[in-house]
Amino acid sequence: MARWFAGALLAALIVGAASSAEAQTTTLRLNSITPPNHWFARDLMAGWARDVEEATGGRVRIEATGAPLGPMARTIDMVAQGVADVSAGNHGPIAGRFRVTQILDIPFISTSAEAGSVAFWRTHQEFLDRANEHRGVHVLSLWSSSPAHLFAVREPLARPEDLQGRRVVVVSATAGRIAETFRAVTLNAATDRWYEMLSRGVADAVISTNTAITGWNLQNVLKAQLLFPEGLHYTSFFLVINRDRWMALRPEDRAAIERLSGEAFAIRAGRMFDHHDRVAREAIAGGGVRITTAPPEMIERMRAEFRPVEEEWLRNAAAAGVDGPAALARFRELVRAAPR
């Protein structure tokens, strides 16, 4: 009887300890914005999730969804409302909200995804955060895409003026203004709609990164690219978490996650975007797309033509109480200081 009682007590203690450990584990649902086999989900986000679990001793686990929980334009709202606990996303499709945050949309502002990511994160922390455009969520990190270029279904595409009269797919308001500068007709659409639009002739061209082109197999329907060595413009990305879920975590777990986020994640993401940009560029060239590299004199002329885009950003910054000239100067200083 005594041995039975001791065994039962030991079993109860083991079950209780297991239940206690399970109760201490917080599982956060990550809204996956790409298919699971895409490098963004497979390498970038899954790698970060593994590191978070390790850094928190298994107390915080991040489980990705098999598909997006909603359109990109609703990503921030879904996290704020608790539909998802965590999500990465692209600011561009969230029309009208991130007028100051989207500093990377200014043409020819950066030199690489890594340089732009570090400059973006630091400039946001020092200046842009005052605009409070990420209200409702806690920002874990911000970073830059790889550079954007011009692509067309039909040749020629040797200069931006070749876009005149063509229907160009864009993912952000700034990309739309760039296309409209050359009298193109713009079509706003998320990346998951681009293949259908380009392959069916709904659109004639697209302003896009190399990584988005190959990520959605668009090189199969494109014939020409006007490539800008350091990028026509860049796109900003975010990693955010629901505020209540964030504050419910233990202080030591929040500290561990912050060490893996912020500038550390910006560098990690920027380097990964740069790597996949190089891979994508080779695939595009090998896929038969005719690539024309924009010469320096073309780029200098375009800088002057795009000056209104920068001026509009400065007006938006002023309206939000942000020192736009100082923020731009700081961003460009950081990009110049980045290793090449």
Side-chain angles (χ1 to χ4, degrees):
M1 182 70 175
R3 281 199 299 269
W4 178 88
F5 180 78
L9 178 61
L10 178 61
L13 288 172
I14 292 172
V15 171
S19 299
S20 176
E22 185 176 347
Q24 292 175 358
T25 299
T26 298
T27 300
L28 300 175
R29 183 160 68 157
L30 169 68
N31 174 48
S32 185
I33 62 173
T34 66
N37 62 343
H38 190 285
W39 63 263
F40 186 95
R42 184 190 65 239
D43 301 330
L44 181 61
M45 299 311 303
W48 176 75
R50 286 192 299 271
D51 289 349
V52 166
E53 183 170 352
E54 181 180 350
T56 60
R59 290 185 299 274
V60 179
R61 296 176 181 172
I62 297 174
E63 294 184 354
T65 59
L69 296 175
M72 185 73 74
R74 291 201 62 245
T75 306
I76 292 280
D77 289 338
M78 286 192 299
V79 173
Q81 295 163 7
V83 176
D85 298 316
V86 184
S87 186
N90 180 339
H91 291 101
I94 308 174
R97 177 166 174 175
F98 295 98
R99 297 179 183 275
V100 180
T101 299
Q102 290 179 255
I103 191 172
L104 282 160
D105 274 9
I106 296 174
F108 307 116
I109 197 171
S110 187
T111 56
S112 71
E114 182 178 354
S117 294
V118 172
F120 183 31
W121 176 252
R122 293 187 186 179
T123 303
H124 179 268
Q125 297 304 93
E126 295 174 25
F127 295 96
L128 310 184
D129 189 42
R130 297 170 196 170
N132 193 31
E133 292 181 335
H134 294 92
R135 56 192 173 275
V137 295
H138 177 75
V139 177
L140 291 172
S141 190
L142 301 167
W143 70 96
S144 169
S145 72
S146 47
H149 309 278
L150 301 179
F151 296 86
V153 175
R154 301 188 308 276
E155 296 184 272
L157 188 57
R159 54 183 187 149
E161 286 80 3
D162 290 335
L163 293 178
Q164 182 173 343
R166 297 197 193 187
R167 296 159 296 179
V168 181
V169 181
V170 297
V171 76
S172 70
T174 298
R177 285 192 291 276
I178 289 172
E180 288 164 1
T181 299
F182 300 104
R183 299 181 181 178
V185 177
T186 58
L187 303 172
N188 286 277
T191 51
D192 59 357
R193 294 183 54 210
W194 289 2
Y195 190 94
E196 180 181 8
M197 295 175 73
L198 291 163
S199 63
R200 294 191 175 186
V202 176
D204 305 307
V206 61
I207 297 178
S208 172
T209 63
N210 289 323
T211 52
I213 294 299
T214 57
W216 297 94
N217 293 316
L218 299 177
Q219 71 273 18
N220 298 328
V221 296
L222 296 169
K223 298 297 182 184
Q225 176 186 23
L226 182 55
L227 182 145
F228 298 88
E230 293 183 339
L232 174 59
H233 77 95
Y234 293 73
T235 301
S236 57
F237 279 79
F238 56 80
L239 177 61
V240 297
I241 185 171
N242 177 275
R243 283 187 180 276
D244 291 338
R245 296 287 274 165
W246 175 247
M247 293 309 300
L249 297 176
R250 297 162 63 162
E252 60 267 36
D253 290 339
R254 292 200 302 269
I257 293 170
E258 284 182 331
R259 287 193 294 271
L260 295 169
S261 304
E263 185 168 324
F265 187 90
I267 293 171
R268 178 181 196 158
R271 287 178 179 172
M272 194 168 292
F273 268 74
D274 280 335
H275 166 72
H276 284 281
D277 180 71
R278 291 188 292 270
V279 173
R281 184 171 173 176
E282 293 176 2
I284 290 168
V289 176
R290 180 176 178 178
I291 301 173
T292 301
T293 301
E297 58 272 18
M298 179 188 293
I299 294 172
E300 287 308 308
R301 173 174 60 81
M302 292 175 69
R303 285 184 193 275
E305 292 171 329
F306 294 146
R307 178 65 186 175
V309 176
E310 181 174 323
E311 291 172 345
E312 181 178 357
W313 184 88
L314 288 167
R315 289 193 297 272
N316 291 335
V322 172
D323 187 341
L328 268 178
R330 177 62 170 152
F331 188 100
R332 286 172 168 144
E333 173 193 14
L334 290 165
V335 168
R336 286 195 299 270
R340 296 291 185 108

